Amino acid sequence: MQVSAREAALETLRRCRRDGAWSGSSIDAAIKKYELSRRDAALASRLCLGVLQNSRLCDFYIGYYCSGKLEPKLRDILRMGVYQLLFLDRIPARAAVSEAVALCKSQGCARASGLVNAVLRKIADNTDALPEIPGKGTASYLAVKYSHPEWLVGYLMDRGGYDFAEAFLAADNTPPPLTIQVNTLKVSPADYVRALARADIPYKESDVLPGCIVLEGRQAAELPGYDEGLFYVQDRAARAAVESAGLLPGMRVLDACASPGGKSFAAAMALQGRGEILSCDIHEKKLRLVRSGAARLGIDIIKTAAMDARIYDSTMEECFDVVIADVPCSGFGVIGKKPEIREKVPESVKGLPEIQSAILDNVSHYVRPGGVLIYSTCTVLSEENEETVRAFLARNKAFRTDAFRTCGADAPDGMYTFWPNVDGTDGFFVAKLRKI
């Protein structure tokens, strides 16, 4: 079945809206299903991600030129058209309009093709004089301009001010690069970047983390050495959580919430392949990702076990030099990669600190005296981060924070929040806790 990039993007948007599917895995599935060329795959991904990142802004302009209720499929088509007109300058306006009209006809919305044509032409004709978003200088203005929930914008403004909030939101709406970590068990960072150079692939090396490489507009599977396991995908901030632990060869490590395995892989490399790593997750099917990843990378010191990190296991009492607890969280630090997260409501966060605290309390029993407990999340909300850690320390006098400095993070108080607009990484929180 021959499907265009725009049809694939539209199908993905429908799945995200109707089924609550993750955009990344959904667009990858559509690309594979329809065997899109690299060019069409890139366009489909850009359209899907761009619409999700800018849905509220697109709706603002659609609402200005169109009154009345729109069915969801028609709104998706209009959003794609508006996004192309406002953000993809390589696509001529006439092409964006005509393709949207063609989508209406192919998707069973032919009766609305005149409306789509009229709305998009008005926007195309007024791109230099579009209506002003009201309330400039307020949270509501930023919420529309960057298509984020107003409550989150307000939180960011309270945390760092208006300019800080706007920079964070702009970073969220910037297409995320691919960040990989070289598998130093198989190849040196210097040798791997030479392989990239030979393949004529542009890259940027981190100046604070050897073997961390950032690439724009690339898929991991198309890079040299993927099948051979010469690298794995992981953001610098997530790698920092492992690096902060100060792992040494021969140590025993528990990765309590391991899937999909990035921190276990980073730990194996920090251990130089000598030691023991137990990677756990509550769902056995998620552990398959850990095992397959370890096999590709050639790591043989990782064992897996299904475990609810909230439930005590006496056989693991004080058994580990380092315990890593990358707990379930709201994910507001990775909106750039998972734009649908921005649609979460505050109520969805309320029960998370209780779960996070239960995990932290339980896995703390598994740390040997003098050992380290790493607590991390991919969110920037203080109630899931600093407040959860401080409450844990108040309950558990055997632990204290431990200063660390690694991967661009300087944490004299043992806690560090990575911000996309400050650190150029995912939004991420790391706390290092030492058992006295």
Side-chain angles (χ1 to χ4, degrees), residues 215-431:
L215 307 104
E216 299 287 347
R218 294 286 175 173
Q219 298 292 321
E222 70 182 20
L223 297 178
Y226 176 81
D227 291 334
E228 296 82 0
L230 300 189
F231 67 89
Y232 66 101
V233 177
Q234 186 179 49
D235 188 77
R236 174 165 62 86
R239 180 66 181 263
V242 177
E243 295 295 325
S244 69
L247 291 169
L248 296 172
M251 284 185 169
R252 298 191 71 199
V253 178
L254 170 65
D255 189 355
C257 307
S259 181
K263 292 179 183 62
S264 292
F265 306 152
M269 290 165 205
L271 294 175
Q272 300 174 27
R274 304 194 302 274
E276 298 177 35
I277 300 172
L278 178 60
S279 301
C280 299
D281 199 275
I282 193 170
H283 299 295
E284 169 60 33
K285 64 180 180 180
K286 288 188 175 182
L287 292 174
R288 295 173 199 157
L289 295 174
V290 181
R291 289 192 290 269
S292 63
R296 183 179 69 84
L297 295 168
I299 298 171
D300 59 8
I301 63 170
I302 292 177
K303 294 181 179 179
T304 63
M307 176 186 82
D308 186 335
R310 296 169 294 182
I311 299 176
Y312 176 68
D313 183 343
S314 62
T315 65
M316 294 199 290
E317 178 77 23
E318 296 188 347
C319 280
F320 297 94
D321 300 289
V322 173
V323 172
I324 301 168
D326 187 47
V327 299
C329 69
S330 60
F332 287 112
V334 291
I335 293 176
K337 293 175 180 174
K338 298 180 178 180
E340 51 272 29
I341 287 175
R342 72 188 71 203
E343 301 302 326
K344 287 185 177 182
V345 296
E347 290 72 24
S348 67
V349 180
K350 286 184 177 178
L352 287 171
E354 182 178 350
I355 296 171
Q356 293 154 353
S357 295
I359 292 173
L360 199 49
D361 283 338
N362 185 56
V363 299
S364 68
H365 294 292
Y366 306 151
V367 183
R368 68 164 180 80
V372 167
L373 171 58
I374 299 296
Y375 174 83
S376 63
T377 73
C378 57
T379 192
V380 294
L381 301 185
S382 59
E383 56 262 47
E384 299 180 71
N385 296 339
E386 296 93 338
E387 292 178 28
T388 295
V389 171
R390 291 186 184 116
F392 167 79
L393 293 172
R395 295 189 304 271
N396 296 271
K397 302 301 183 182
F399 283 84
R400 59 169 172 78
T401 56
D402 202 22
F404 64 90
R405 187 175 186 178
T406 186
C407 305
D410 187 4
D413 65 348
M415 293 186 276
Y416 190 88
T417 301
F418 289 87
W419 296 92
N421 51 309
V422 175
D423 299 282
T425 65
D426 289 342
F428 205 84
F429 175 78
V430 182

Side-chain angles (χ1 to χ4, degrees), residues 62 90 116 124 134 137 154 168 198 289 301 326 374 415 433 435:
I62 292 169
R90 291 186 179 182
V116 169
F168 180 97
R198 286 194 297 270
L289 295 174
I301 63 170
D326 187 47
I374 299 296
M415 293 186 276
L433 309 172
K435 191 167 187 178

